[in-house]
């Protein structure tokens, strides 16, 4: 059975968008089974058409960092998300957070599943790598 | 070094060389050697790590200026 990696993401800023996508696509490329669970503000990252910004006042420089990344051929979050889904990375929305954040299933990127804490912990309990990004 | 295919990942930053490598590896047959070209500094450690995790054999590394050439025998 493939080794598992589970990641929890609790913030919705640009940097917090990139980290699980970089680790997720890499782990999937290394033959690992990947599960990424988005909770609280992280949930925004699963909304269709969402363009995350850098945190706090740095948000003003989001355009600059996107340009710099594009120039250096570093994939942007929306492209990375597509690659991750193609590689079979599993993305989950926390059902309770959806209610708190006012996000419905129809708002989510296609391919995202909805889970509760118990289902996620069931996956995490068997994972060799468990990370929290928040 | 003998090779059956070349994958050019020059100019690509982490994680793309590894993502491209995994995709290419799926197209190749057991025993074939893939030459991977990469100039991401991290690739020097990342490619051997990918090989040891996935069970593909790293049979050689060469460096040409800023470009690393990895030779990987497919499992």
């Amino acid at each position: 059975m493939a080794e598992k990696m589970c990641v929890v993401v609790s913030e919705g800023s640009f940097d917090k968008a990139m980290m699980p996508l970089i680790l997720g696509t890499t782990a999937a490329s290394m033959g690992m089974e990947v599960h990424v669970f988005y909770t609280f503000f992280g949930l925004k990252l699963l909304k269709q058409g969402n363009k995350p910004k850098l945190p706090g006042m740095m948000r003003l420089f989001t355009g600059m960092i996107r340009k710099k990344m594009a120039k250096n051929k570093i994939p942007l979050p929306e492209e990375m998300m597509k690659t991750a889904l193609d590689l079979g990375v599993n993305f989950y929305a926390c059902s309770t957070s959806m209610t708190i954040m006012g996000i419905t299933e129809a708002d989510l990127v296609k391919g995202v599943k909805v889970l509760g804490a118990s289902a996620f912990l069931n996956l995490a309990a068997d994972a060799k790598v468990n990370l929290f990004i928040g | 070094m003998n090779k059956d295919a070349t994958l050019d990942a020059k100019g690509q930053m982490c994680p793309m060389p590894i993502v491209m490598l995994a995709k290419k590896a799926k197209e190749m047959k057991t025993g074939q050697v893939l030459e991977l070209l990469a100039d991401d500094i991290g690739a020097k450690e990342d490619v051997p790590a990918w090989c040891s995790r996935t069970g593909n054999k790293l049979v050689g590394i060469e460096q040409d200026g800023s470009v690393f050439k990895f030779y990987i025998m497919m499992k």
Side-chain angles (χ1 to χ4, degrees):
Chain A
M1 207 174 80
E3 286 172 345
K4 257 187 228 170
M5 175 171 89
C6 287
V7 185
V8 177
V9 183
S10 73
E11 291 287 350
S13 55
F14 187 89
D15 48 328
K16 305 294 160 67
M18 287 301 293
M19 291 179 223
L21 294 173
I22 290 176
L23 290 170
T25 51
T26 304
S29 297
M30 293 172 92
M32 296 175 81
E33 189 185 306
V34 184
H35 303 277
V36 191
F37 187 71
Y38 291 79
T39 182
F40 279 86
F41 304 106
L43 206 56
K44 283 198 296 187
L45 298 172
L46 296 181
K47 271 181 87 172
Q48 284 177 42
N50 175 63
K51 282 221 172 156
K53 293 196 166 18
L54 288 168
M57 285 300 284
M58 300 245 291
R59 70 183 183 279
L60 302 168
F61 300 102
T62 307
M64 203 186 279
I65 204 172
R66 284 178 65 92
K67 260 185 216 150
K68 193 167 185 189
M69 285 170 67
K71 199 178 143 203
N72 287 291
K73 287 194 191 169
I74 302 169
L76 291 159
E78 55 273 24
E79 297 158 2
M80 285 287 271
M81 183 86 178
K82 238 181 128 242
T83 304
L85 285 164
D86 286 347
L87 287 168
V89 171
N90 297 287
F91 292 102
Y92 305 106
C94 159
S95 54
T96 301
S97 296
M98 283 173 69
T99 308
I100 298 170
M101 304 291 292
I103 293 170
T104 65
E105 265 191 280
D107 298 325
L108 300 173
V109 170
K110 228 178 147 203
V112 171
K113 286 157 248 172
V114 178
L115 284 189
S118 165
F120 177 74
L121 288 171
N122 191 36
L123 294 166
D126 298 328
K128 268 201 174 168
V129 182
N130 274 295
L131 301 174
F132 184 87
I133 296 174
Chain B
M1 196 167 289
N2 284 335
K3 63 195 179 191
D4 299 289
T6 297
L7 177 63
D8 187 355
K10 291 197 299 288
Q12 300 283 343
M13 302 291 292
C14 170
M16 293 321 291
I18 294 296
V19 172
M20 290 165 72
L21 171 58
K23 213 175 255 180
K24 183 73 185 174
K26 279 188 190 151
E27 296 168 10
M28 296 192 62
K29 296 189 183 86
T30 304
Q32 285 188 322
V33 173
L34 174 68
E35 177 187 53
L36 169 66
L37 309 177
D39 55 5
D40 170 21
I41 301 168
K44 199 180 173 188
E45 300 292 331
D46 286 351
V47 175
W50 180 86
C51 291
S52 81
R53 267 288 120 178
T54 56
N56 294 291
K57 198 174 172 199
L58 186 60
V59 289
I61 306 179
E62 289 171 16
Q63 194 170 352
D64 184 0
S66 62
V67 179
F68 297 105
K69 297 177 178 178
F70 300 95
Y71 296 90
I72 303 154
M73 189 182 278
M74 297 296 146
K75 69 168 178 188

